[in-house]
């Protein structure tokens, strides 16, 4: 059940120049949340009235907290970055479907590109078996230590070669001969497209977490659509990232 | 203290209070039913419905602007059959009126959806001749008085529900279109639809919206909307549902004083899912505090 609450900020600190980690005290919302879901965070000012959809990086059911790792990309996220511990923000969530988790042990490939890395942390915690996380970034990737702490094997590719493999994340997966029973990805659309192609070539059905410009976050405005052609259906349809997604099967996305 | 009377009469249909939703901002009510008690709304105006399903425009469809937003959804909807099977039974569980927004590309399509939904359990029709996001139909009917009169006249012939006509602000003189709708037989008017707007991403040197242009809504457009409701209320003798940037009860009172009978909350729903009920409760409080027993005491009081 979605809830709209005022959440106290327990932590809000930069991980790099423009990527921040915010921990929120959210009460019972934490128990409801799943890996791959997101929350709406409201700016609290009329000038920037739309909520900002931010993916959930980590869930702590005992402490009743959510960790959001976000990039400052505009006025709304800039405002969040200036907030301090003890202040409150209005949060609506959890929203979206989240990743579909396989049962039992297995070998899992997780792919995060840029600000698509954060949801991989909670996902890595919830999967059983071997978890390989492939991280792609322009330079200076975040959350590598945290991913290792939660038991994942981390492989890094950077566009400038400053950390790890010099190239993109799909080239790295090809280079390493990545293997898995399933694959979960979040990142830029172009990356998701190439990851999907790689996965299908390797007989893996990929789950991709999509992003699109959003207004309401609850399926009412029909703003955040992607073209999806469901298996066995004759025609594509515009599905909502906020409600039908953000996670879709990569083979059902019409990439354009 | 006597009980204040919030009820209003829109084209022969009594609403328990003047508050409804602006079409396209509230889905079919289900999405918001988790947050607000739909029984507290005078009416729910649902997202536009066409005779057949529409896929709408490409994404990106949304862009925020200072104090508002642009959208270019393009009236994506699952069609009249789906609406009748899924959405009407849901909404009928609540003690609120149902206003269904009708869209089409041609006079024939408008008539087809009006005919289909005339058999359905809804209370009012809102004829959408003002959407700026579809290439054929929509706004092309709403900007030409002759075409507006014709489409209203034709839909009136088949519609078995009172017909509200939704007007676009993207015209030189909105009273001219209002009069045309009235002479076509409209039972009421709703205004304003969105203003045509545009945003450009200066890094990419491209429009932000895939459709290039889109409908501008939100608090930033409220003064334009109040002005147009005021002008139209003076020009025609039809009930008006006022909308355009209403986020608070104070905004709603402005529209009522300008001449509106009903008021619709639109974009504010995205910023605050509780906005509709807050507006309704605020109006009631304002009436009690100011000893206003009926909204007719303040409706259209501006000379």
């Amino acid at each position: 059940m979605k809830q709209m609450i005022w959440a106290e900020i327990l932590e809000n600190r930069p991980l790099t120049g423009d990527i921040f980690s915010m921990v929120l005290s959210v009460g019972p919302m934490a128990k409801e949340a799943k890996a791959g879901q997101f929350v709406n965070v409201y700016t609290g000012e009329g000038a920037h009235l739309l909520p900002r959809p931010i993916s959930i990086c980590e869930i702590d059911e005992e402490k009743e907290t959510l960790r959001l790792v976000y990039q400052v990309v505009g006025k709304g996220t800039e405002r969040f970055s200036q907030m301090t511990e003890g202040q409150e923000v209005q949060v609506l969530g959890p929203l979206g479907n989240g990743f579909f988790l396989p049962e039992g042990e297995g070998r899992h490939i997780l792919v995060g590109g840029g600000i698509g890395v954060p949801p991989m942390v909670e996902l890595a915690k919830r999967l059983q078996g071997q978890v390989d996380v492939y991280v792609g970034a322009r330079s200076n990737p975040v959350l590598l230590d945290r991913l290792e702490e939660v038991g994942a094997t981390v492989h890094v590719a950077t566009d400038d070669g400053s950390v790890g493999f010099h190239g993109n994340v799909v080239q790295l997966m090809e280079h390493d001969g990545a293997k898995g029973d399933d694959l979960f990805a979040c990142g830029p659309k172009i990356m998701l497209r190439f990851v999907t192609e790689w996965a299908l070539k390797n007989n893996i059905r990929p789950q991709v977490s999509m992003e699109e410009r959003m207004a309401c976050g609850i399926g009412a405005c029909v703003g955040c659509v992607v073209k999806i052609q469901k298996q066995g259906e004759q025609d594509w349809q515009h599905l909502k990232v906020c409600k039908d997604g953000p996670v879709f099967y990569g083979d059902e996305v019409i990439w354009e | 203290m006597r009980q204040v009377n919030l009820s209003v009469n829109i084209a022969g249909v009594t609403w328990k209070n003047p508050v409804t939703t602006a079409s396209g901002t509230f889905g079919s009510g289900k999405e918001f039913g988790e947050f607000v008690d739909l029984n507290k709304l005078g009416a729910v105006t649902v997202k536009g419905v066409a005779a057949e399903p529409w896929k709408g425009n490409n994404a990106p469809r949304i862009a925020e602007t200072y104090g508002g937003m642009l959208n270019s959804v393009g009236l994506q909807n699952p069609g009249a059959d789906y609406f009748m099977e899924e959405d009407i039974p849901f909404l009928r569980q609540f003690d609120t009126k149902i206003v269904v927004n009708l869209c089409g590309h041609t006079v024939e399509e408008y008539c087809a959806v009006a005919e289909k939904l005339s058999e359905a359990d809804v209370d009012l029709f809102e004829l959408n001749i003002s959407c700026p996001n579809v290439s054929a139909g929509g706004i092309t009917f709403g900007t030409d008085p002759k075409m507006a009169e014709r489409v209203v006249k034709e839909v009136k012939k088949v519609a078995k529900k009172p017909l509200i006509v939704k007007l676009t602000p993207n015209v030189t003189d909105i009273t001219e279109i209002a009069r045309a709708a009235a002479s076509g037989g409209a039972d009421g008017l709703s205004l304003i639809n969105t203003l045509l707007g545009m945003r450009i991403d200066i890094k990419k040197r491209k429009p932000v919206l895939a459709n290039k242009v889109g409908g501008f809504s939100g608090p930033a457009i409220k003064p334009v909307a109040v002005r147009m409701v005021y002008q139209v209320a003076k020009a025609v003798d039809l009930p008006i549902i006022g909308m355009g940037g209403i986020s608070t009860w104070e905004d709603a009172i402005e529209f009522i004083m300008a001449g509106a009978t009903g008021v619709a909350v639109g974009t504010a729903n995205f910023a605050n899912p509780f906005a509709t009920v807050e507006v309704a409760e605020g109006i009631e409080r304002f009436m009690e505090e100011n000893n206003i027993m009926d909204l007719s005491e303040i409706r259209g009081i501006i000379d």
Side-chain angles (χ1 to χ4, degrees):
Chain A
M1 180 78 180
K2 304 188 244 317
Q3 291 178 307
M4 180 89 156
I5 58 161
W6 284 96
E8 187 188 344
I9 299 173
L10 303 179
E11 171 198 296
N12 192 26
R13 62 185 170 88
L15 300 180
T16 65
D18 63 351
I19 294 180
F20 285 72
S21 171
M22 180 186 272
V23 177
L24 297 172
S25 175
V26 297
M29 190 192 291
K31 274 197 184 61
E32 300 278 324
K34 296 187 289 188
Q37 288 190 303
F38 68 96
V39 294
N40 268 352
V41 186
Y42 294 78
T43 69
E45 6 164 61
H48 305 104
L49 54 93
L50 297 180
R52 272 49 181 169
I54 300 179
S55 67
I56 296 169
C57 174
E58 291 194 68
I59 303 161
D60 190 326
E61 286 187 23
E62 262 172 42
K63 292 185 187 157
E64 298 195 317
T65 60
L66 294 181
R67 181 184 190 195
L68 311 178
V69 171
Y70 61 97
Q71 186 167 26
V72 174
V73 289
K75 293 283 192 296
T77 41
E78 186 184 321
R79 185 181 163 86
F80 299 151
S81 73
Q82 291 158 353
M83 298 186 80
T84 53
E85 286 163 28
Q87 283 186 291
E88 289 190 332
V89 282
Q90 209 170 10
V91 175
L92 170 64
L95 303 174
N97 57 358
F99 290 107
F100 320 117
L101 298 185
E103 281 177 24
E105 298 243 337
R107 186 157 186 187
H108 316 286
I109 302 174
L110 280 55
V111 190
I115 201 63
V117 176
M120 296 304 149
V121 179
E122 187 60 34
L123 180 61
K125 286 199 268 184
R126 297 198 176 201
L127 290 168
Q128 293 168 33
Q130 168 72 25
V131 177
D132 284 285
V133 185
Y134 288 82
V135 171
R138 259 179 231 143
S139 63
N140 208 8
V142 294
L143 295 167
L144 303 181
D145 294 347
R146 184 65 188 138
L147 284 163
E148 278 173 359
E149 268 174 37
V150 301
T153 307
V154 182
H155 314 260
V156 184
T158 51
D159 293 345
D160 62 4
S162 59
V163 186
F165 180 82
H166 189 178
N168 71 44
V169 75
V170 180
Q171 289 166 333
L172 173 60
M173 288 157 64
E174 192 65 43
H175 175 266
D176 283 8
K179 284 196 172 44
D181 308 313
D182 41 40
L183 182 149
F184 310 83
C186 182
K189 206 168 182 180
I190 185 77
M191 182 201 92
L192 297 179
R193 180 183 185 161
F194 287 122
V195 167
T196 294
E197 284 174 14
W198 182 91
L200 295 176
K201 202 175 71 190
N202 288 277
N203 297 314
I204 302 170
R205 193 170 192 209
Q207 294 183 31
V208 296
S209 178
M210 310 283 289
E211 191 177 38
E212 192 48 71
R213 291 266 170 189
M214 227 173 247
C216 69
I218 58 173
C221 73
V222 202
C224 58
V225 294
V226 287
K227 290 189 168 92
I228 301 291
Q229 184 158 7
K230 293 265 185 195
Q231 276 187 350
E233 282 184 13
Q234 296 293 314
D235 197 8
W236 62 268
Q237 48 183 328
H238 268 137
L239 293 187
K240 301 162 195 167
V241 168
C242 69
K243 199 175 178 183
D244 305 311
V247 179
F248 297 96
Y249 284 108
D251 54 295
E252 294 185 336
V253 177
I254 297 182
W255 303 98
E256 51 188 13
Chain B
M1 196 173 64
R2 280 188 298 153
Q3 188 77 28
V4 298
N5 176 24
L6 275 111
S7 73
V8 293
N9 185 304
I10 309 262
V13 179
T14 302
W15 296 7
K16 69 169 71 160
N17 68 51
V19 179
T20 186
T21 57
S23 180
T25 64
F26 209 69
S28 60
K30 264 182 206 160
E31 290 78 0
F32 282 89
E34 290 185 44
F35 303 104
V36 295
D37 180 359
L38 300 177
N39 294 305
K40 292 188 173 171
L41 303 184
V44 170
T45 304
V46 301
K47 183 164 169 50
V49 178
E52 302 296 330
W54 287 13
K55 283 183 168 174
N57 293 325
N58 283 345
R61 293 174 167 183
I62 302 288
E64 192 180 64
T65 62
Y66 199 89
M69 63 177 280
L70 299 171
N71 89 83
S72 59
V73 171
L75 296 173
Q76 176 177 337
N77 76 90
D81 292 333
Y82 180 92
F83 174 71
M84 289 191 284
E85 280 162 34
E86 296 291 324
D87 297 338
I88 296 175
F90 171 79
L91 283 169
R92 271 296 172 235
Q93 302 172 73
F94 302 94
D95 178 22
T96 187
K97 301 298 177 189
I98 303 174
V99 184
V100 53
N101 182 280
L102 308 179
C103 38
H105 298 106
T106 61
V107 172
E108 291 69 34
E109 283 185 26
Y110 281 114
C111 289
V113 68
E115 223 173 330
K116 240 179 181 174
L117 289 169
S118 281
E119 306 309 320
D121 184 15
V122 299
D123 299 292
L124 288 155
F125 284 163
E126 179 179 62
L127 190 67
N128 185 354
I129 56 166
S130 45
C131 178
N133 291 321
V134 290
S135 50
I139 199 168
T140 52
F141 289 98
T143 52
D144 179 334
K146 284 199 186 78
M147 284 178 78
E149 185 176 343
R150 189 177 147 234
V151 70
V152 173
K153 202 174 265 174
E154 294 301 317
V155 172
K156 268 304 279 184
K157 284 182 194 164
V158 295
K160 294 183 193 158
K161 313 283 177 187
L163 187 67
I164 309 292
V165 178
K166 187 164 180 179
L167 304 182
T168 173
N170 302 304
V171 291
T172 313
D173 179 1
I174 195 166
T175 63
E176 211 186 329
I177 307 288
R179 286 194 191 91
S183 63
D187 302 301
L189 301 172
S190 57
L191 62 146
I192 59 177
N193 205 317
T194 54
L195 290 147
L196 195 58
M198 187 176 191
R199 256 195 67 194
I200 293 169
D201 182 329
I202 58 170
K203 281 185 197 152
K204 293 182 185 159
R205 303 185 177 198
K206 279 182 177 168
V208 174
L209 299 172
N211 194 47
K212 293 186 183 163
V213 297
F216 176 32
S217 63
I221 73 164
K222 196 189 75 181
V224 178
V226 172
R227 182 264 294 179
M228 288 187 160
V229 167
Y230 167 77
Q231 289 177 320
V232 170
K234 292 272 178 275
V236 297
D237 189 20
L238 286 176
I240 293 170
I241 303 170
M243 67 193 75
I246 296 178
S247 318
T248 65
W249 63 266
E250 290 98 326
D251 298 338
I253 297 291
E254 271 195 70
F255 277 82
I256 293 167
M257 288 184 173
T261 300
V263 287
V265 177
T267 299
N269 289 307
F270 304 151
N272 171 16
F274 310 105
T276 45
V277 168
E278 288 176 6
V279 168
E281 289 170 351
I283 293 171
E284 185 171 12
R285 230 174 19 248
F286 174 79
M287 291 173 73
E288 286 166 358
E289 285 167 10
N290 292 276
N291 212 22
I292 298 162
M293 288 300 129
D294 192 290
L295 286 170
S296 61
E297 294 167 37
I298 56 166
R299 186 178 308 127
I301 54 165
I302 307 300
D303 281 339

